[in-house]
Amino acid sequence: MKKTIAGIAALTIALSAFAGCTDKKNDKSTGGASEAVTTAAQQDTTVEKTTAQDTTASEEKPEVSADSYEAVLREFIDAYNNEDYKKTFELTMPDGAEKVMKLLASSETMQNEYGGISEEEMIKESQESLFLGKKDGTLVPGEIKKTEPLTEEETFELRSEIAMITLCLDYIDSHGGAEGVDTEAMLNEIMDYDLEAAAAEVELDEAYYITFGLENEKWDWSGDGNAIVYRVRGGSWKISANDLIGTLSRGKDKRLDTAADSLYKAANTVLIELDEEGYIKNDSDEFIVSSDSGKDFNVPADFDADLFRSRIKNYCEYEGDWFVKMQGAYALETAVYDSENPHNVGTYPPSDYVDFAYEGMSYDEIYNKACEDIG
């Protein structure tokens, strides 16, 4: 039973990984031609993309082929905008993954141990991490700006995830179809496979890391999005949205992150000054001082919040809304806010920092959460 549950966990991770939030490309290197997952056809594709980009100065945009990775990117973003979980599943998962999901949902272990779950619910749950950073507004993809072939090393994790699905599909086929499969037996057998060896057998015709224009008209925000696009041998184009979701969850004006960092440093400088001057007498209670005095919270009676606000201007040039959560002579957290673009919020530590639970929240939500944490 433990082995079966481990198999379910591993397979569920594989089914979710293609749309997860982990950035797999942080350490991307260009690599040598001998390492790259490329063919002569890939090189031709790259040349075609470069030529197409050179023509964007004309009024007519180049036609997008229905079987191109650019078409898959646009189809994916359209599904994302519509919160179409089934479609994003189809576009991010290897061909046949839905068959595996159906088997997993119907397994006795899943029904008994996890209280039962439908195939549709499992598909939605596998895609939920994809939509964690989704906010109001429609995303509009622009032209593809850069196309980089991926090396064998860079595709290892991707191929490992594909291998889990492929092993299941091979097992199903060898047993005459889903009707003849004991799901627990399948999972137990797959857990005995050497996943690294299985990943080495996954053949990718093409795999690229692409950078493309991305904007949200409602936020009045534009920048670059990133994603991995690939084709398993003989299959259709797929997209791995890990890096794209990182872009979306961080889709705010970067200057606000810088401003929050600057405010944090300024606050600590001011607090040191005030402490040396004898203004800080309570070092046990957490409290908040805000650019709007009406949002000051739990401030000790002997702390001069107005003096703190005036001193901040000596070290921080940001003129928008902000608050600082502090304790004694130490700043703990900061948040800044752009009132003209209400979705734009910067925090320090960064909102996606480990154990820092402000990712995707508005300024008011962050402020309220900070107050709740103080109690």
Side-chain angles (χ1 to χ4, degrees), residues 136-174:
D136 294 336
T138 299
L139 296 173
V140 181
E143 295 299 320
I144 293 178
K145 299 180 178 181
K146 192 174 183 180
T147 300
E148 302 173 83
L150 295 178
T151 67
E152 293 283 356
E153 182 180 359
E154 289 167 346
T155 62
F156 175 75
E157 190 172 350
L158 175 65
R159 287 184 287 111
S160 297
E161 294 156 359
I162 295 170
M164 285 290 293
I165 310 300
T166 302
L167 289 171
C168 290
L169 291 172
D170 289 346
Y171 187 96
I172 292 170
D173 289 342
S174 68

Side-chain angles (χ1 to χ4, degrees), residues 246-362:
T247 300
L248 297 178
S249 65
R250 297 188 300 271
K252 57 193 176 189
D253 193 332
K254 292 296 183 183
R255 69 184 176 86
L256 294 177
D257 284 333
T258 301
D261 185 12
S262 177
L263 176 63
Y264 177 81
K265 293 172 181 175
N268 275 308
T269 300
V270 172
L271 288 171
I272 291 172
E273 288 180 354
L274 296 179
D275 189 33
E276 291 176 346
E277 295 169 16
Y279 284 103
I280 296 179
K281 299 180 174 60
N282 182 330
D283 61 2
S284 60
D285 295 335
E286 293 184 2
F287 60 99
I288 290 174
V289 172
S290 171
S291 57
D292 175 3
S293 60
K295 284 184 173 288
D296 288 352
F297 181 78
N298 203 45
V299 178
D302 54 8
F303 185 87
D304 192 334
D306 289 332
L307 179 60
F308 177 84
R309 271 185 283 270
S310 68
R311 293 278 186 94
I312 280 289
K313 296 177 182 178
N314 296 332
Y315 302 100
C316 182
E317 296 180 354
Y318 184 69
E319 297 180 353
D321 296 287
W322 53 264
F323 76 78
V324 179
K325 179 180 177 182
M326 61 191 89
Q327 182 178 30
Y330 300 97
L332 305 175
E333 304 168 8
T334 62
V336 299
Y337 170 63
D338 185 344
S339 59
E340 294 183 358
N341 296 290
H343 285 282
N344 286 354
V345 181
T347 60
Y348 189 86
S351 59
D352 56 357
Y353 191 76
V354 64
D355 296 331
F356 196 71
Y358 293 157
E359 182 66 24
M361 296 173 68
S362 70

Side-chain angles (χ1 to χ4, degrees), residues 68-70 72-73 144 147-148 150 158 204 206-210 212 227-231 237-241:
S68 71
Y69 57 77
E70 184 174 359
V72 170
L73 167 66
I144 293 178
T147 300
E148 302 173 83
L150 295 178
L158 175 65
L204 300 179
E206 302 176 69
Y208 301 115
Y209 188 65
I210 60 173
F212 51 92
I228 293 172
V229 289
Y230 66 96
R231 287 196 306 119
W237 280 105
K238 300 292 181 179
I239 182 168
S240 176

